[in-house]
Amino acid sequence: MKLRHLLLGAPVLIASGNDDVHTTWAETRRIYEAAVQPKFLWEVKGAAHVDLYAHDRQAYAATILPFLAAHLRRAPAPASL
């Protein structure tokens, strides 16, 4: 199956363990390659499908939080009454 470009209209962060048996690393790469910029791929060596945070909490925070900080909009300040 060939993936077309994923036009989401939002930044894409794909984080995947390279020992994931549910979504293989090859499948993860295909999804990443189909996404348009801005995009970021984080390969977590030795992690499986759902244990990325538990596998390496420091690396998770160092990778995920900066991406979110860079791409999430801040809520506007409340209007004065």
Side-chain angles (χ1 to χ4, degrees), residues 1-34:
M1 172 158 107
K2 183 169 174 68
L3 292 175
R4 296 178 184 207
H5 288 296
L6 301 176
L7 300 173
L8 301 176
V12 175
L13 168 65
I14 299 173
S16 180
N18 66 358
D19 285 344
D20 188 338
V21 296
H22 300 287
T23 306
T24 67
W25 185 245
E27 292 168 332
T28 300
R29 291 283 313 167
R30 286 179 55 218
I31 293 167
Y32 173 76
E33 289 166 5

Side-chain angles (χ1 to χ4, degrees), residues 13-74:
L13 168 65
I14 299 173
S16 180
N18 66 358
D19 285 344
D20 188 338
V21 296
H22 300 287
T23 306
T24 67
W25 185 245
E27 292 168 332
T28 300
R29 291 283 313 167
R30 286 179 55 218
I31 293 167
Y32 173 76
E33 289 166 5
V36 296
Q37 293 290 347
K39 62 183 180 179
F40 182 75
L41 176 62
W42 180 38
E43 176 184 7
V44 184
K45 296 187 190 257
H49 190 70
V50 296
D51 67 346
L52 303 182
Y53 178 72
H55 185 74
D56 189 339
R57 291 178 178 167
Q58 288 181 334
Y60 187 95
T63 304
I64 302 297
L65 296 179
F67 182 88
L68 295 176
H71 295 289
L72 288 178
R73 292 184 184 157
R74 300 207 187 281

